[in-house]
Amino acid sequence: MIIGVLNGPNLNLLGTREPSIYGTASLSDILAGLVPVAESLGVELRDYQANGEGQLIDQLHAWRGVVSGVVVNAGAYTHTSLALRDALTATALPFVEVHLSNIHAREPERRHSMLASASLGMVCGFGAHGYEFALRGLIHTLRSRG
Ligand code: DQA
């Protein structure tokens, strides 16, 4: 089974970006930490980060028939992008949403997710560890579906 890990705008700056909110791990650190978890679960990972909405949508289209599900941190597009939600539903890729910060404890404009109601579930507020929890949750759900 192959799982995609999709990261949206500004997440390439993790490590130096507002560390008091997002922590000090870089995106490469987070992805490297996911590899042994994926191995222990018997899955392969593909990852993609882009700052543009269209690039993220194109990657989801490209992952059709390739990945079985996706861990998605859409960054600020979470709160704004009907197009990204449409791409997730149009591709019918099962996904778990992840956020480093607890978006529900932040500014009002971050408390709504355009993606959440189409997701299998959401993990937020656990920093970089959230990616592991999201991956485990996604695989658990995909395997229990058979
Ligand atoms: C984020 C939360 C979003 O509100 C923000 O725009 C991000 C990061 C998070 O991981 O906590 O870019 O998705």
Short mmCIF file of all heavy atoms in Angstrom, two decimals, residues 9-11 17 22 73-76 78-79 98-101 103 106 110, ligand 1:
data_model
loop_
_atom_site.label_atom_id
_atom_site.label_comp_id
_atom_site.label_asym_id
_atom_site.label_seq_id
_atom_site.Cartn_x
_atom_site.Cartn_y
_atom_site.Cartn_z
N PRO A 9 0.97 25.37 1.54
CA PRO A 9 1.79 26.58 1.54
C PRO A 9 2.47 26.86 2.87
O PRO A 9 1.89 26.68 3.93
CB PRO A 9 0.78 27.69 1.21
CG PRO A 9 -0.55 27.13 1.55
CD PRO A 9 -0.44 25.65 1.28
N ASN A 10 3.71 27.30 2.75
CA ASN A 10 4.55 27.75 3.86
C ASN A 10 5.06 26.62 4.75
O ASN A 10 5.85 26.87 5.65
CB ASN A 10 3.82 28.81 4.71
CG ASN A 10 3.43 30.01 3.88
OD1 ASN A 10 4.29 30.60 3.23
ND2 ASN A 10 2.15 30.36 3.84
N LEU A 11 4.62 25.40 4.48
CA LEU A 11 5.10 24.29 5.31
C LEU A 11 6.53 23.92 4.95
O LEU A 11 7.22 23.26 5.73
CB LEU A 11 4.14 23.11 5.22
CG LEU A 11 2.77 23.46 5.82
CD1 LEU A 11 1.74 22.41 5.49
CD2 LEU A 11 2.85 23.67 7.32
N ARG A 17 9.76 28.71 10.78
CA ARG A 17 8.52 29.47 10.71
C ARG A 17 7.82 29.47 12.06
O ARG A 17 7.36 28.42 12.51
CB ARG A 17 7.61 28.81 9.67
CG ARG A 17 6.25 29.43 9.58
CD ARG A 17 5.30 28.57 8.75
NE ARG A 17 3.98 29.19 8.71
CZ ARG A 17 2.89 28.58 8.33
NH1 ARG A 17 2.93 27.31 7.93
NH2 ARG A 17 1.74 29.21 8.33
N TYR A 22 4.62 26.34 15.54
CA TYR A 22 4.75 25.15 14.70
C TYR A 22 5.91 24.23 15.08
O TYR A 22 6.10 23.19 14.45
CB TYR A 22 4.88 25.58 13.23
CG TYR A 22 3.66 26.34 12.74
CD1 TYR A 22 3.75 27.67 12.34
CD2 TYR A 22 2.40 25.74 12.72
CE1 TYR A 22 2.64 28.37 11.90
CE2 TYR A 22 1.28 26.44 12.29
CZ TYR A 22 1.40 27.76 11.88
OH TYR A 22 0.29 28.44 11.46
N ASN A 73 -1.86 18.13 5.09
CA ASN A 73 -1.81 19.40 5.81
C ASN A 73 -1.86 20.48 4.73
O ASN A 73 -0.85 20.75 4.07
CB ASN A 73 -0.56 19.55 6.66
CG ASN A 73 -0.60 20.84 7.49
OD1 ASN A 73 -1.44 21.71 7.26
ND2 ASN A 73 0.31 20.97 8.44
N ALA A 74 -3.02 21.06 4.56
CA ALA A 74 -3.21 22.02 3.47
C ALA A 74 -2.82 23.43 3.87
O ALA A 74 -3.05 24.38 3.11
CB ALA A 74 -4.64 21.97 2.98
N GLY A 75 -2.24 23.60 5.07
CA GLY A 75 -1.86 24.94 5.51
C GLY A 75 -3.08 25.85 5.46
O GLY A 75 -4.20 25.45 5.76
N ALA A 76 -2.85 27.09 5.04
CA ALA A 76 -3.95 28.06 5.04
C ALA A 76 -5.04 27.73 4.02
O ALA A 76 -6.18 28.19 4.17
CB ALA A 76 -3.40 29.46 4.78
N THR A 78 -6.53 25.13 3.90
CA THR A 78 -7.53 24.42 4.71
C THR A 78 -8.78 25.28 4.92
O THR A 78 -9.90 24.77 4.89
CB THR A 78 -6.93 24.15 6.12
OG1 THR A 78 -5.74 23.41 5.98
CG2 THR A 78 -7.92 23.44 7.03
N HIS A 79 -8.52 26.55 5.15
CA HIS A 79 -9.60 27.43 5.57
C HIS A 79 -10.30 28.12 4.40
O HIS A 79 -11.31 28.78 4.61
CB HIS A 79 -9.05 28.49 6.53
CG HIS A 79 -8.09 27.93 7.54
ND1 HIS A 79 -8.49 27.01 8.49
CD2 HIS A 79 -6.76 28.11 7.74
CE1 HIS A 79 -7.43 26.67 9.22
NE2 HIS A 79 -6.38 27.31 8.79
N VAL A 98 -4.31 16.85 8.87
CA VAL A 98 -3.42 17.06 10.01
C VAL A 98 -3.01 18.52 10.07
O VAL A 98 -2.85 19.18 9.04
CB VAL A 98 -2.18 16.12 9.95
CG1 VAL A 98 -1.31 16.39 8.73
CG2 VAL A 98 -1.35 16.23 11.21
N HIS A 99 -2.90 19.02 11.29
CA HIS A 99 -2.35 20.35 11.54
C HIS A 99 -1.42 20.26 12.74
O HIS A 99 -1.76 19.60 13.73
CB HIS A 99 -3.46 21.37 11.85
CG HIS A 99 -4.42 21.50 10.72
ND1 HIS A 99 -4.12 22.20 9.58
CD2 HIS A 99 -5.65 20.96 10.54
CE1 HIS A 99 -5.14 22.09 8.75
NE2 HIS A 99 -6.08 21.35 9.29
N LEU A 100 -0.30 20.94 12.64
CA LEU A 100 0.61 20.97 13.79
C LEU A 100 -0.04 21.67 14.98
O LEU A 100 0.05 21.20 16.11
CB LEU A 100 1.90 21.70 13.39
CG LEU A 100 2.68 20.99 12.28
CD1 LEU A 100 3.07 21.95 11.19
CD2 LEU A 100 3.89 20.29 12.84
N SER A 101 -0.64 22.80 14.70
CA SER A 101 -1.26 23.59 15.77
C SER A 101 -2.71 23.14 15.98
O SER A 101 -3.31 22.49 15.10
CB SER A 101 -1.22 25.08 15.41
OG SER A 101 -1.98 25.32 14.23
N ILE A 103 -5.94 24.15 15.55
CA ILE A 103 -6.60 25.24 14.82
C ILE A 103 -7.86 25.73 15.54
O ILE A 103 -8.27 26.86 15.35
CB ILE A 103 -6.93 24.84 13.36
CG1 ILE A 103 -7.85 23.63 13.28
CG2 ILE A 103 -5.65 24.64 12.56
CD1 ILE A 103 -8.36 23.34 11.86
N ARG A 106 -7.16 28.72 17.93
CA ARG A 106 -6.47 29.88 17.32
C ARG A 106 -7.49 30.93 16.86
O ARG A 106 -8.61 30.95 17.33
CB ARG A 106 -5.57 29.37 16.19
CG ARG A 106 -4.48 28.42 16.72
CD ARG A 106 -3.46 28.07 15.68
NE ARG A 106 -2.75 29.25 15.21
CZ ARG A 106 -1.98 29.29 14.12
NH1 ARG A 106 -1.82 28.18 13.41
NH2 ARG A 106 -1.37 30.40 13.77
N ARG A 110 -9.20 30.52 11.52
CA ARG A 110 -8.53 29.22 11.38
C ARG A 110 -9.37 28.07 11.93
O ARG A 110 -8.98 26.90 11.86
CB ARG A 110 -7.18 29.22 12.11
CG ARG A 110 -6.16 30.14 11.50
CD ARG A 110 -4.82 29.96 12.18
NE ARG A 110 -3.99 31.13 11.96
CZ ARG A 110 -3.22 31.32 10.88
NH1 ARG A 110 -3.14 30.41 9.95
NH2 ARG A 110 -2.52 32.43 10.76
C1 DQA B 1 -1.50 24.72 9.86
C2 DQA B 1 -2.57 25.67 10.43
C3 DQA B 1 -3.04 26.67 9.38
O1 DQA B 1 -3.99 27.55 9.94
C4 DQA B 1 -1.86 27.49 8.89
O2 DQA B 1 -2.28 28.36 7.86
C5 DQA B 1 -0.73 26.64 8.45
C6 DQA B 1 -0.34 25.51 9.27
C7 DQA B 1 -0.93 23.80 10.96
O3 DQA B 1 -0.29 22.80 10.59
O4 DQA B 1 -1.08 24.06 12.14
O5 DQA B 1 -0.06 26.94 7.46
O6 DQA B 1 -2.08 23.92 8.87
#
